[in-house]
Amino acid sequence: MASFFDTAIPRKSGIVDERFTRTDTGVPLPSVVEISESGTCNRKCAFCPRSAPDYPDIKEFVDPALIGKLAGQLGDVGFRGIFLFSGFVEPMIDKNIYDLVAIVRRALVHGRVEMVTNGDPLDDDRLRRLFDSGLSTLLISVYDGPDDAARFEAMCRRAGLRPDQYVIRHRYLPAEEDFGITLSNRAGMMDNAEHRLPSLAEPLHRACHYPHYTFFMDYQGDVLLCPHDWGKRLVVGNMQMQDFWDIWTGPAMSAARRRLVRGDRAFGPCTVCDVKGDLMGRQHADAWNALDGRLVKDGT
């Protein structure tokens, strides 16, 4: 049986390509900056590492000043992609979430501010407040069935949202249909989950473009190579102690990009990961390759 293909992927892929930007020196900027702004979630879905009995639930939240620092530095380099509140958490249980959206919107006038939510904390007032704060698009992952999907659809229409301002994601399909998700083993973090997806015994020989177009930061300021690294096995920097530019162009991400674009996943956590990481971001990968070639030619 073919695995499920999320219909939201073409949408995101189109934005990733359309928002492709380089600096004056030719360095590609990310099209997606994703924030995992706490250590907690209100659900433990079967297809999520949080369903494993030993996965930590930490009720700590990001410092708004850290979001301000990252958003401000992104604005300084001309970022115009998606600033996404998502990650390993439920963003709507953060009491500061509206302020965080507003901070990002003020700093990134030409960017998109998006959020993924399971919808549990949503009501009409909270939905309107998100968009009043500056949200561009809300992606609602519906886990409890088609009736809930219809309820969220009606809520968005009552709020007067345009079709491009919300996406209803149907995540209540049976396991035989991959729950309505393009599943991965989350870089080896699904070994003990309720719906087990084992770590690979041998590295997958397939290109991955995630670090070419994505910058991922958690609530502690740790920057991970990839949003699939739920175990935080490869931390490439920390925004509390470093700057965006130094991490984005630094040796850890640069080395990973060179290997992953060739399909070389023989380093942790990529060695056990089964994610289809080449579904988008090819334009960014090609640009990084061209830049690397120029640097080698110039001897820099």
Side-chain angles (χ1 to χ4, degrees):
M1 181 183 68
S3 59
F4 181 85
F5 185 79
D6 189 349
T7 55
I9 289 176
R11 171 193 176 272
K12 184 178 179 181
S13 180
I15 295 174
V16 165
D17 287 344
E18 189 272 327
R19 298 277 169 157
F20 173 78
T21 308
R22 304 175 195 249
T23 65
D24 293 340
T25 58
V27 177
L29 293 175
S31 279
V32 180
V33 171
E34 185 171 349
I35 306 301
S36 188
E37 46 69 62
S38 80
T40 188
C41 186
N42 64 310
R43 284 188 179 242
K44 293 184 179 180
C45 300
F47 47 81
C48 174
R50 287 188 177 276
S51 66
D54 56 346
Y55 193 87
D57 184 68
I58 303 171
K59 292 178 171 55
E60 296 178 3
F61 299 86
V62 72
D63 184 343
L66 186 57
I67 295 293
K69 176 185 178 182
L70 176 57
Q73 292 185 359
L74 289 169
D76 289 343
V77 297
F79 175 80
R80 54 187 294 271
I82 302 172
F83 194 104
L84 176 64
F85 291 95
S86 180
F88 314 148
V89 304
E90 170 49 52
M92 286 298 296
I93 59 179
D94 186 345
K95 66 180 181 180
N96 292 320
I97 193 62
Y98 309 105
D99 292 336
L100 299 182
V101 170
I103 288 169
V104 176
R105 171 50 67 212
R106 287 194 296 269
L108 301 178
V109 177
H110 301 295
R112 297 186 59 84
V113 187
E114 300 194 358
M115 182 185 299
V116 175
T117 177
N118 60 35
D120 292 348
L122 274 183
D123 58 26
D124 287 27
D125 290 341
R126 290 170 180 164
L127 179 61
R128 291 189 182 96
R129 190 176 175 189
L130 281 175
F131 284 89
D132 288 344
S133 299
L135 197 71
S136 303
T137 300
L138 183 65
L139 295 89
I140 306 173
S141 298
V142 183
Y143 298 121
D144 295 332
D147 289 346
D148 257 11
R151 179 171 65 87
F152 287 123
E153 178 80 30
M155 185 185 298
C156 292
R157 290 182 178 179
R158 284 196 303 273
L161 300 184
R162 303 186 308 271
D164 64 298
Q165 290 181 297
Y166 68 96
V167 178
I168 307 296
R169 309 199 301 179
H170 302 267
R171 303 305 203 214
Y172 47 80
L173 301 181
E176 295 76 20
E177 297 180 62
D178 291 345
F179 306 97
I181 294 174
T182 302
L183 290 174
S184 83
N185 66 12
R186 302 298 188 182
M189 290 298 292
M190 293 291 290
D191 288 346
N192 298 317
E194 183 177 335
H195 182 74
R196 183 176 179 270
L197 295 170
S199 298
L200 298 184
E202 297 290 337
L204 183 68
H205 297 290
R206 179 170 180 164
C208 182
H209 302 154
Y210 270 102
H212 296 85
Y213 71 90
T214 302
F215 185 89
F216 184 98
M217 184 186 82
D218 79 356
Y219 67 103
Q220 296 174 313
D222 284 334
V223 178
L224 308 184
L225 181 66
C226 168
H228 288 268
D229 185 10
W230 281 64
K232 292 182 64 171
R233 293 170 177 169
L234 183 51
V235 177
V236 297
N238 185 284
M239 277 297 299
Q240 297 196 59
M241 299 173 287
Q242 297 170 270
D243 292 328
F244 160 76
W245 188 253
D246 294 333
I247 300 172
W248 179 244
T249 61
M253 291 200 75
S254 296
R257 290 184 189 111
R258 293 185 185 106
R259 296 184 68 170
L260 289 173
V261 76
R262 302 194 306 265
D264 176 7
R265 300 192 182 196
F267 63 100
C270 305
T271 186
V272 298
C273 183
D274 67 352
V275 70
K276 300 177 179 68
D278 56 355
L279 297 179
M280 64 185 80
R282 180 57 187 265
Q283 185 177 10
H284 290 72
D286 288 345
W288 276 109
N289 275 346
L291 180 64
D292 284 344
R294 191 188 79 190
L295 293 177
V296 170
K297 182 178 179 180
D298 293 345
T300 56

